[in-house]
Structure formats: structure tokens, C-alpha cells
């Protein structure tokens, strides 16, 4: 008899979506086809999830034991860019945990309408993106704590007396209530400057009030998540989607000292120093590229530029630079240092708007 994968609940959940809805993996991209997906398909999905739900406790046990992971980050809040949210999480730890929303909050409560197919299907598509990560134990779906954890219900009831319970706040409290029990580090992404400011000014206070003993640590993780999102989206630190999500996560995981050093570098001085930290990070990388090691980077450019897309040379430097100097720490990011990098390495074969995907070293 075949032994179950320790993350079998999450894998079965995602595979049920892939089986019942018209969601396809095409050229490393996950696409949902609403015109060929029907309400009856969601009914079938609900029936299949009914069957596996008795096994949801295994996901809770997995997190309690931290099986297969060192640092478990829990994503809270409803986000539009799920890929960005996951990449942010993998800069902070080797596992990302999400709370189930599709089954307990939608499918198990009512029959969906035809007008909801696109919205719910897109939510399902997001989870399919993480199937390979789930098979590697790097992605876990957890049943909603409100249904199985007394502390969650108590915390939400208490907070609702003094705080407006928005979906974002509810999501935060769900994660916060099980952070100790399930060894979770809460994080989120902002997706706008306004939300960035609100999260720092409002939600950190909620963390601090309800979890005073861990307030400082939680604050650092939340701040690091928001700053990581900026790194992955800024014009001068531009994430390159040519690196598949599961490969992105695996590269960082292999750098054993990465998470601790990265967290320290990004959050030193708190939120008041956040922009300085990002600018300093950019400067260190630029100085590194101008150092004696730039010849190795240049050779890497020459080696892979022949297979780059015609419109822009997309260069991946993952191996050699990672072991040049043990006194440097690794950071997984994609640089768009334009034109600084392309000016530094003048090559006829390279497009002037080249995006450099680099797993770069930074000074401690």
C-alpha cells in the first residue's frame, strides 16, 4: 500500500480543483477557462472536498509538528496578486500557509451562481499555482480556525467589541489566534501605498495588544513582508516571472542562513528606516557588481544571453555567485538595475532594457 504524503490533505484539495474545473497548466502558466466551467462542476468539487474534509486535521498536525519545514509563514488578508504574495512569503521562510476560503466560506454554505463562476474560479486557479509547492511540503491549506479552535472564537468575539471587523482584520485574527499552536509567523502584502500605511499603523497595534509577548517578533515579520513586496515590485528591484515559483522557493531554501540575515537587514531600525534599508540594499548590490566579482557576472551574461528572448536579454545567475564569498549573505531577487547594470557590462548581444534575474550576494 502506497504511503500517504505528509501534506496529503493540501495536495488532494488542489488536485480536486484541477480535476473538476477547467483549469489548465499551459507553458508553466495556470489558466482558468470560465466559459467551459459550469455550476455543476463546482457542485462536483464540493462533493469531493466533502470526502477529504475529515482529513483536514492532518494539516493542523503537520503545522504543529513543523514537519518538513523550519519557518512557517501564514498569509492573511485577501490579495489580488497571489503569485507575488507567495514569493514574498518564500523570502521570509520555507513554507507558506493559507486559510481555506473556497470550501468552508463558499461551497459548503450554498450553491454558487453562474455570475460567480469567474470570481470563484480565479480563487481556485491561485491554489493550482501552488500544487508543486504543496508536493514539496512548501504550501499548506489549513481549515478555518473558527471551526476548530476555541481561542479563535474567543479572540474574535473580544476584538469585535472594540474594533470594526473588516475581512482583513478577521483574517489577521484567524492567523494570530493559532500562531503559537501551529508555529506560524503572520505576514501579508499591501498592494498599494495606502494599504501599506494602514497595515503598519493599525494592524501592528492589533498584534501588539493581543500578543504582547511576541509583539516585537511579529512586528518584524509583518514589516519584512511589506518591505519584501516592495523589493519584488519596485522598478529597481523588479521580479522576473521567468523564474518559476517553485524554483524561486527552492533556491532560497538552499541558502541556510538566508532568512535570519535577510530579516535583520530589512527591518533594522523599524519602519522609520524602511526606505533607507531598501536604498542601502540597492547600493550594496550595485557596489558588488562593480567589484572584482563583476567579471564573473559578465561571463554569466555572455554564457546565457544566446538563449534569451529577442526583445530583452533575460539573464539568470544562480550558481557561481552564490559561493564566491562565505562572508556574504544570499538574497533571492530579480534586479532591474537599468541602466546601471547594462552600462556596466556593455555587450552588443544584450538589449539596453535587459532584466537581470540574479540570486545575489550581499555584505552582512
Amino acid at each position: 500500500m502506497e504511503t500517504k504524503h505528509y501534506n496529503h490533505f493540501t495536495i488532494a484539495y488542489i488536485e480536486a480543483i484541477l480535476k473538476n474545473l477547467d483549469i489548465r497548466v499551459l507553458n508553466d502558466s495556470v489558466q482558468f477557462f470560465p466559459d467551459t466551467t459550469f455550476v455543476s462542476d463546482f457542485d462536483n468539487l464540493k462533493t469531493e472536498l466533502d470526502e477529504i474534509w475529515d482529513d483536514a486535521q492532518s494539516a493542523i498536525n503537520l503545522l504543529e509538528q513543523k514537519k518538513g519545514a523550519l519557518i512557517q509563514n501564514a498569509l492573511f488578508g485577501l490579495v489580488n496578486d497571489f503569485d507575488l504574495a507567495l514569493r514574498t512569503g518564500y523570502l521570509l521562510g520555507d513554507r507558506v500557509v493559507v486559510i481555506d476560503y473556497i470550501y468552508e466560506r463558499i461551497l459548503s454554505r450554498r450553491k454558487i451562481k453562474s455570475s460567480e463562476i469567474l470570481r470563484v474560479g480565479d480563487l481556485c486557479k491561485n491554489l493550482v499555482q501552488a500544487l508543486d509547492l504543496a508536493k514539496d511540503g512548501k504550501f499548506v491549506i489549513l481549515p478555518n480556525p473558527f471551526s476548530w479552535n476555541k481561542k479563535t472564537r474567543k479572540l474574535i468575539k473580544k476584538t469585535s467589541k472594540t474594533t470594526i471587523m473588516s475581512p482583513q482584520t478577521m483574517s489577521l485574527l484567524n492567523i494570530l489566534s493559532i500562531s503559537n499552536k501551529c508555529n506560524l509567523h503572520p505576514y501579508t502584502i499591501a498592494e498599494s501605498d495606502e494599504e501599506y500605511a494602514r497595515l503598519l499603523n493599525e494592524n501592528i497595534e492589533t498584534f501588539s495588544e493581543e500578543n504582547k509577548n511576541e509583539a516585537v517578533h511579529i512586528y518584524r515579520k509583518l514589516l519584512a513582508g511589506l518591505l519584501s513586496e516592495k523589493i519584488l515590485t519596485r522598478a529597481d528591484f523588479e521580479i522576473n516571472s521567468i523564474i518559476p515559483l517553485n524554483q524561486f522557493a527552492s533556491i532560497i531554501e538552499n541558502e541556510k542562513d538566508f532568512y535570519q540575515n535577510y530579516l535583520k537587514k530589512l527591518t533594522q531600525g523599524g519602519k522609520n528606516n524602511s526606505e533607507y534599508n531598501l536604498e542601502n540594499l540597492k547600493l550594496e548590490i550595485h557596489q558588488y557588481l562593480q567589484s572584482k566579482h563583476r567579471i564573473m557576472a559578465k561571463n554569466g551574461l555572455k554564457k546565457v544571453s544566446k538563449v534569451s528572448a529577442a526583445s530583452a536579454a533575460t539573464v539568470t545567475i544562480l550558481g557561481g555567485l552564490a559561493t564566491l564569498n562565505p562572508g556574504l549573505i544570499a538574497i533571492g531577487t530579480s534586479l532591474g538595475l537599468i541602466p546601471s547594470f547594462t552600462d556596466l557590462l556593455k555587450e552588443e548581444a544584450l538589449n539596453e532594457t535587459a532584466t537581470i534575474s540574479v540570486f545575489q550576494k550581499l555584505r552582512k
Side-chain angles (χ1 to χ4, degrees):
M1 183 177 178
E2 186 178 351
T3 303
K4 281 186 176 181
H5 189 289
Y6 66 84
N7 196 25
H8 55 272
F9 170 74
T10 298
I11 295 170
Y13 187 122
I14 300 174
E15 287 181 338
I17 291 173
L18 201 51
K19 173 184 173 183
N20 289 285
L21 308 184
D22 194 356
I23 296 176
R24 310 172 202 173
V25 182
L26 303 171
N27 299 321
D28 293 324
S29 174
V30 179
Q31 298 181 33
F32 171 56
F33 295 86
D35 292 340
T36 47
T37 300
F38 308 98
V39 169
S40 59
D41 295 324
F42 286 96
D43 293 339
N44 294 335
L45 174 59
K46 189 261 181 187
T47 299
E48 193 156 339
L49 291 178
D50 284 340
E51 295 174 358
I52 72 168
W53 212 255
D54 288 341
D55 211 14
Q57 180 64 42
S58 66
I60 301 169
N61 297 341
L62 159 63
L63 298 181
E64 288 178 339
Q65 300 164 14
K66 294 179 67 174
K67 189 170 185 178
L70 293 174
I71 303 173
Q72 303 179 141
N73 293 301
L75 174 64
F76 70 87
L78 298 177
V79 299
N80 293 318
D81 193 334
F82 194 65
D83 182 87
L84 174 61
L86 291 185
R87 289 178 192 267
T88 299
Y90 292 121
L91 284 176
L92 304 174
D94 52 349
R95 172 174 288 156
V96 171
V97 179
V98 298
I99 300 296
D100 165 64
Y101 180 80
I102 295 166
Y103 176 71
E104 290 179 291
R105 298 297 298 273
I106 301 176
L107 298 183
S108 67
R109 294 189 175 193
R110 59 180 175 81
K111 190 180 184 73
I112 75 163
K113 303 172 184 176
S114 297
S115 59
E116 296 176 302
I117 286 178
L118 179 59
R119 181 180 69 87
V120 181
D122 277 339
L123 293 173
C124 292
K125 180 191 75 173
N126 286 338
L127 297 181
V128 172
Q129 284 182 245
L131 179 56
D132 287 341
L133 291 163
K135 290 179 178 179
D136 289 339
K138 294 184 175 71
F139 181 79
V140 175
I141 299 172
L142 197 62
N144 195 305
F146 198 83
S147 66
W148 56 268
N149 190 45
K150 291 181 180 179
K151 183 178 179 181
T152 303
R153 295 191 289 271
K154 182 179 179 181
L155 178 59
I156 290 176
K157 182 178 180 180
K158 176 183 175 183
T159 307
S160 64
K161 294 178 180 179
T162 57
T163 305
I164 297 175
M165 296 298 289
S166 67
Q168 184 86 351
T169 303
M170 182 78 76
S171 176
L172 182 155
L173 293 173
N174 266 336
I175 293 295
L176 182 60
S177 66
I178 59 169
S179 59
N180 290 332
K181 178 179 176 63
C182 293
N183 301 296
L184 300 178
H185 303 288
Y187 84 99
T188 190
I189 62 173
E191 299 185 312
S192 73
D193 291 339
E194 294 76 16
E195 182 64 7
Y196 176 88
R198 192 189 71 79
L199 282 165
L200 288 182
N201 296 328
E202 296 179 18
N203 282 301
I204 282 182
E205 293 179 6
T206 302
F207 275 127
S208 300
E209 285 300 314
E210 299 300 339
N211 225 1
K212 291 183 175 64
N213 293 335
E214 296 186 15
V216 174
H217 180 67
I218 291 174
Y219 166 83
R220 291 181 70 218
K221 266 301 176 82
L222 178 56
L223 179 60
L226 295 173
L227 294 178
S228 294
E229 178 192 2
K230 284 197 172 187
I231 286 178
L232 297 178
T233 57
R234 283 173 57 150
D236 48 2
F237 289 107
E238 188 173 277
I239 185 62
N240 192 335
S241 60
I242 198 168
I243 302 176
L245 186 55
N246 58 329
Q247 183 183 350
F248 180 87
S250 295
I251 289 169
I252 300 170
E253 184 187 20
N254 288 334
E255 297 294 333
K256 301 304 181 186
D257 296 329
F258 171 75
Y259 304 113
Q260 181 180 352
N261 291 323
Y262 177 70
L263 190 67
K264 180 179 179 181
K265 178 171 288 292
L266 222 56
T267 61
Q268 56 189 350
K271 65 179 180 180
N272 292 332
N273 277 20
S274 60
E275 285 301 320
Y276 169 80
N277 290 340
L278 292 181
E279 287 302 316
N280 192 48
L281 196 61
K282 172 186 170 183
L283 178 63
E284 288 190 13
I285 291 174
H286 184 60
Q287 289 174 340
Y288 179 84
L289 293 173
Q290 291 181 346
S291 73
K292 64 182 180 180
H293 302 303
R294 80 178 179 89
I295 188 63
M296 194 158 191
K298 184 174 181 178
N299 290 337
L301 281 168
K302 286 181 177 180
K303 184 176 181 180
V304 300
S305 63
K306 294 180 181 179
V307 296
S308 298
S311 59
T314 303
V315 182
T316 306
I317 306 171
L318 299 175
L321 293 179
T323 55
L324 285 177
N325 189 333
L328 303 174
I329 65 170
I331 176 170
T333 186
S334 294
L335 290 179
L337 287 172
I338 304 168
S340 56
F341 195 94
T342 48
D343 284 346
L344 182 64
L345 304 173
K346 290 290 187 182
E347 293 292 339
E348 292 182 3
L350 297 180
N351 186 288
E352 283 299 319
T353 59
T355 299
I356 315 301
S357 298
V358 60
F359 193 84
Q360 190 59 293
K361 292 282 185 172
L362 296 175
R363 294 174 180 82
K364 283 184 179 179

